Amino acid sequence: MKNRQITIAELPTGNLTPDHFKLNETEVPSPRDGDVLLRTVLMSIDAANRSWMQGATYRDAVHAGDPMPTYAICEVLESKSPRLATGDVVACESVWSEYVVRPAHKCVKLPAIHPLSNLMSVYGIAGKTAFHGLIGVGQPVTGETVLVSAAAGSVGSIVGQIAKALGCHVVGIAGGAQKCKWVTDVLGFDACIDYREPGMGKALRQACPNGVDVYFDNVGGKVLEAALFAMNTKGRVVCCGAVSQYDTTDAPSGPRNLPGLVVVKRLRMEGFIVMDFADRDATALRALQTWVENGQIKVFEDIVEGLENAPSALIGLLAGENKGKRMVRVGSDPEGVQ
């Protein structure tokens, strides 16, 4: 068998294009003792993929020639470890590839939840990021106002719905009138502001008449700057990402009102990585399942078919194409999983 894999042909210095990637054909790797051979089923597409090309972050930098790292759901084809058996479905840190070999102890066997894609979206990295960031860092209280940027995206769409389930006044920020309408009419946010329109400060004051208690930031830059002005004293800013800074030829820009407003309003700004809260994943899963079953969280997935389309899927995500969690389906679901 041959193995198709996508590597970085050249690191981008500006906007990401398909030319920055290369589709290669290699031999299927062989597992050693303690390893498993995995067939990739679904790959997560995240804005973080682009940030890894800019240098080391919470993980090592990606270099030209490297396969693109990703989070993936895979089927075990061959196991040389007692931890996992052939046919098990697992999640792991992987790469854009049809087949990979991973140490068994670095793979997590997944529960029998259907559809399998939900383990990538609401019950996977997107849902856990939303839950841990909002609950663990933002700590919202019923009746407070929660503001969420990238509100139509994989994480933001779930953050807002969790906040509504907790009884908060929820305002989103998204790009374009159509997306804003979807955020309010479909996701149930109380309001949504189009960041592409002028007068964001005024729009925030109108949508958040009592100020903002929790701001869940996915974009950074000018949106974060505007949000800080709207924050209440002792407000909490959850720093999840800065997608506005990842794929641009402009010099990175930060809020001009730091640290002044943080001091004056006694704000707490805290960044986090979803793995920080791994010991609370079981709690997150129970809560998310309850909200989904009650209809308080609606699940939206944006599935792109084919490994070869992973580069365009990432480029499109950075341009704001997706509604809900974007992922790439590389192979069919394991037999018996629908």
Side-chain angles (χ1 to χ4, degrees):
M1 293 191 301
K2 294 294 183 181
N3 179 32
R4 295 191 306 156
Q5 184 177 87
I6 295 178
T7 58
I8 306 299
E10 180 184 4
L11 287 175
T13 55
N15 296 122
L16 195 63
T17 72
D19 292 337
H20 291 116
F21 300 94
K22 183 179 181 182
L23 180 62
N24 303 294
E25 192 173 86
T26 65
E27 297 297 322
V28 174
S30 298
R32 298 180 179 181
D33 287 344
D35 291 341
V36 285
L37 171 64
L38 304 175
R39 177 181 69 87
T40 306
V41 179
L42 294 164
M43 303 189 312
S44 181
I45 301 297
D46 301 287
N49 291 119
R50 179 66 179 87
S51 71
W52 300 335
M53 300 182 201
Q54 295 178 328
T57 55
Y58 54 87
R59 63 174 302 148
D60 293 339
V62 178
H63 303 286
D66 290 346
M68 170 60 77
T70 190
Y71 176 84
I73 292 176
C74 307
E75 179 187 14
V76 177
L77 293 186
E78 181 182 353
S79 177
K80 291 192 174 181
S81 167
R83 292 173 176 267
L84 295 169
T86 299
D88 284 346
V89 177
V90 301
C92 64
E93 292 294 327
S94 186
V95 293
W96 285 3
S97 184
E98 290 180 319
Y99 301 94
V100 295
V101 165
R102 286 290 176 265
H105 73 275
K106 292 189 176 181
C107 300
V108 177
K109 186 175 178 179
L110 296 176
I113 290 177
H114 308 295
L116 188 63
S117 56
N118 281 184
L119 289 165
M120 183 69 80
S121 60
V122 67
Y123 303 134
I125 193 166
K128 289 187 288 187
T129 299
F131 181 91
H132 293 316
L134 182 63
I135 304 298
V137 181
Q139 301 174 358
V141 175
T142 298
E144 288 189 324
T145 294
V146 175
L147 179 66
V148 187
S149 57
S154 60
V155 174
S157 61
I158 299 175
V159 169
Q161 292 183 88
I162 293 174
K164 284 297 297 180
L166 295 175
C168 297
H169 178 74
V170 181
V171 177
I173 301 173
Q178 184 180 19
K179 268 194 176 178
C180 288
K181 181 175 173 58
W182 183 77
V183 166
T184 54
D185 293 357
V186 179
L187 298 183
F189 286 44
D190 294 292
C192 190
I193 296 164
D194 184 354
Y195 72 83
R196 296 175 182 172
E197 292 293 322
M200 185 183 297
K202 181 179 179 181
L204 280 171
R205 288 191 295 273
Q206 291 176 340
C208 309
N210 297 317
V212 175
D213 300 293
V214 179
Y215 172 48
F216 197 105
D217 182 40
N218 290 302
V219 301
K222 295 179 180 179
V223 175
L224 173 57
E225 182 175 300
L228 290 177
F229 279 112
M231 297 296 297
N232 288 327
T233 301
K234 295 291 184 76
R236 289 84 72 198
V237 180
V238 184
C239 299
C240 182
V243 68
S244 69
Q245 311 287 301
Y246 296 157
D247 192 44
T248 177
T249 56
D250 298 332
S253 63
R256 293 168 295 181
N257 44 9
L258 287 177
L261 281 181
V262 173
V263 175
V264 172
K265 296 188 175 188
R266 279 82 88 196
L267 303 179
R268 175 167 60 84
M269 294 184 70
E270 183 175 345
F272 78 102
I273 303 297
V274 66
M275 290 83 79
D276 299 343
F277 295 88
D279 61 328
R280 305 182 205 175
D281 279 352
T283 299
L285 180 59
R286 285 195 302 271
L288 290 163
Q289 285 178 311
T290 299
W291 287 321
V292 171
E293 290 166 4
N294 291 345
Q296 292 171 293
I297 291 182
K298 298 174 183 176
V299 182
F300 292 92
E301 298 173 341
D302 184 352
I303 302 178
V304 176
E305 299 290 337
L307 174 71
E308 66 279 3
N309 292 317
S312 60
L314 175 57
I315 292 167
L317 177 132
L318 294 169
E321 284 181 359
N322 63 302
K323 290 179 181 176
K325 174 60 185 170
R326 175 159 282 194
M327 62 190 90
V328 168
R329 188 183 303 281
V330 178
S332 60
D333 286 353
E335 187 175 347
V337 176
Q338 299 296 329

